Amino acid sequence: MKISVSDWANFEQVMQIAMKFKVGIEVQEFTRPANLANPDVLINHIRERTKNLALLGMHGPFSELVPASRDPLVQQAARTRLQQGYELAKKIGAQHLILHTGFFSKTYDRQTWIQNSYDFWKDFLRDKPEAGLIHLENVYEDEPSALVTLVEQVNQFFEDERLTVCLDVGHVNANSSHGFE
C-alpha cells in the first residue's frame, strides 16, 4: 500500500512527518495561482527536499477550473492551468498528478457533464501517454458513477489506463449523502 500525506500549505511541516513515518507526500504548492506564475524557486526546493521519498505526488491547480464547461473560454482556462500542473509535476519528478473533475451539482445533467468532460480529457490527454499518471479526484460528487463512467470511457478511447480515480474520503464525508456504502 502506498500512503501519502498532503502538505496543504505546510510543506516543511509535512515533509518532517513524511520522513519520520517513511510515507510519501502530495505536494499542493502548485494549487495556488501565484505559485504557477513563478514556479522555478519552488521547483528546485521541492526536488531537493523530496529526493529521498519513496512516493511523490502533486495536486494540480483547481480553483475555478471547469473542464466540462460549455463555455470555450472557461475550458481554455482549465486546459492552460491543468497543462501547467502537468508540466510542473514532471519537473518535480512526481509519480502522479491529482486533478479535480470540476463537477458542480445541478450545473449540467449527468450525460452532458460526462460528454463535455470526455471531450475535454480526450483532447487534454492526447499527448500524455503515461498510464496511471493522472488521477481525477472526487470533490462535490454525491456518488461516483459519473466519474467512473467518464474514466472508463476515456481509458477505452486510449486503450490504456490514462486516467484513474483518486477517492478523497474527506470530500465523500463532506459532500455525499451516501457515505461509504
Side-chain angles (χ1 to χ4, degrees), residues 105-159:
S105 170
K106 301 176 184 168
T107 304
Y108 300 96
D109 65 83
R110 184 181 193 279
Q111 280 312 118
T112 301
W113 182 83
I114 291 171
Q115 186 61 54
N116 289 2
S117 294
Y118 173 78
D119 292 342
F120 177 89
W121 290 107
K122 187 174 71 168
D123 182 59
F124 182 77
L125 295 169
R126 202 172 294 279
D127 64 346
K128 298 166 183 66
E130 307 90 348
L133 173 69
I134 297 177
H135 309 309
L136 287 184
E137 179 181 353
N138 63 299
V139 181
Y140 296 111
E141 292 82 355
D142 186 52
E143 52 85 26
S145 68
L147 176 55
V148 170
T149 298
L150 168 63
V151 168
E152 287 173 349
Q153 288 180 2
V154 169
N155 289 340
Q156 184 176 21
F157 175 80
F158 287 109
E159 298 179 347

Side-chain angles (χ1 to χ4, degrees), residues 6-8 26-32 57-62 85 96-100 137 139 168 171:
S6 175
D7 83 336
W8 190 245
E26 176 191 321
V27 173
Q28 295 209 4
E29 301 303 311
F30 299 111
T31 62
R32 293 186 277 294
M58 190 184 107
H59 201 303
F62 58 83
H96 65 265
L97 173 63
I98 297 170
L99 299 174
H100 287 185
E137 179 181 353
V139 181
D168 185 310
H171 290 159

